[in-house]
Amino acid sequence: MNLELSEEQTAVRQLAKDFVAREITPNVVGWDRAEEVDRGIVKKLGDVGFLGLTIDEVYGGSGGDHLAYCLVTEELGRGDSSVRGIVSVSLGLVAKTIQSYGTEEQKREWLPRLTAGEALGCFGLTEPGTGSDAGSLTTRAVRDDGGDYVINGSKMFITNGTWADVVLLFARSTGAPGHKGVTAFLVPTDTPGLTRRTIHGKLGLRGQATAELVLEDVRVPASAMLGPEGKGFAVAMSALAKGRMSVAAGCVGIAQAALDAAVGYAAEREQFGKSIASYQLVQELISDISVDVDAARLLTWRVADLIDRGEDFATAASKAKLFASEAAVRCANNALQVFGGYGYIDEYPVGKLLRDARVMTLYEGTSQIQKLIIGRALTGVSAF
Ligand code: FAD
């Protein structure tokens, strides 16, 4: 086993570090307070190639392997999870799924714009009444006499929702029960009947556009269907399996940022006439963060390696997402403890890290759902 990065991976990681230092770090506090990151960041992410990682160059992608994708995602997560999420969703959940399941026409229509940052994608699975039990979703797509589909329903907590140009939407289009009746559609967000409402008051990820989508008689042609009819749930689960690696990498970034901040502050802050770094209980906090960072990163890199070698990776992705998300919360919380009262105000970075980390154990499958996926793989018995 060789964990040394290739020249290309080292270069892309440095590119991401420089990008974060230049475009993100100076704005983090302002964006968080304003509850909106500057939309210009999307085009910049496209220009530098971060929205096209792992996508074929023929569709405007920037190529690269999944470890390179993890390295970039980690750096963006270290900088600002609100920005990281834009990439994880538009590239990770939408563009990569179009690349895997799309027709040639769908790929040519969407991928060049998505990878360039000229269009943004969002992923519409969750509904007000169905979160963990996504297979029971109720949004309905009914085929009319002309062959179009007419969609009615609503979607909840949709990242990029108000900014997106296309929603990868999951709707029930056949009479089959549960997940068997679900079909995926690519719905342009300017289609008449689709309205969007920003969800305000989030604990973290404040700069990110999270929305509720309402669909009233939204008409799309049959050519908007992504993958076969009735196979939409498999499309969603395959997107989320890879998506979990991206969330895990973002969590490694949060944990690394917590470590860097805690080490820096402990060296500067003095109490009882000595640097607090000299106290064993403070060193314990820092050491616990550091072990979590390493363990989360190794679990995440393993997923990238499995994907790049064409091996099964879904259970490993659930393990990485479960561990890294819980670790990110622990690390940010431990770092806040190192900062004392200063950790509680937003002039210092750790409070935001904790607020942003908290959602990671909830979305793309809660920690409980990851445990059930891992348990199913080990026992062969499904708890769902
Ligand atoms: P519920 O499913 O109601 O769960 C509530 C609690 O019950 C949880 O603790 C859960 O673990 C537990 N639980 C549920 N079922 C079981 C079970 N069988 N066994 C044990 N425990 C169980 N969704 C999208 O489709 N697209 C997005 O872009 C997106 N972005 C999001 C962004 C944010 C900021 C947030 C907060 C959410 C986002 N989501 C998105 C939705 C997210 O994926 C859901 O919130 C998540 O799947 C959980 O669903 P829920 O909130 O309905 O909770």
Side-chain angles (χ1 to χ4, degrees), residues 112-144:
R113 291 165 60 205
L114 289 170
T115 53
E118 286 162 6
L120 208 56
C122 68
F123 186 80
L125 181 64
T126 303
E127 299 183 353
T130 56
S132 301
D133 185 14
S136 297
L137 61 82
T138 60
T139 294
R140 200 158 267 289
V142 178
R143 191 169 186 143
D144 72 4

Side-chain angles (χ1 to χ4, degrees), residues 110 164-166 187-194 196:
W110 290 112
D165 300 276
V166 60
V187 182
T189 52
D190 59 3
T191 310
L194 199 166
R196 304 180 271 177

Side-chain angles (χ1 to χ4, degrees), residues 19 23-24 27 30-31 34-47 51 80 82-83 86-87 116-120 160-165 189 196-198 200 207-211:
F19 183 87
E23 305 290 351
I24 297 179
N27 300 306
W31 288 343
E35 295 198 11
E36 182 163 309
V37 307
D38 179 356
R39 286 192 197 206
I41 198 75
V42 176
K43 187 72 179 63
K44 289 176 182 174
L45 287 163
D47 287 345
L51 286 167
D80 188 344
S82 290
V83 177
I86 293 171
V87 176
E118 286 162 6
L120 208 56
N160 295 344
T162 44
W163 288 14
D165 300 276
T189 52
R196 304 180 271 177
R197 179 183 69 84
T198 303
H200 289 290
Q208 202 170 78
T210 309

Side-chain angles (χ1 to χ4, degrees), residues 123-126 131-132 156-159 202 205 210 359 362-366 368-369 372:
F123 186 80
L125 181 64
T126 303
S132 301
M156 190 66 181
F157 295 133
I158 306 306
T159 302
K202 297 199 299 283
L205 297 185
T210 309
V359 77
L362 301 175
Y363 67 15
E364 301 211 17
T366 65
Q368 287 72 29
I369 295 302
L372 296 183

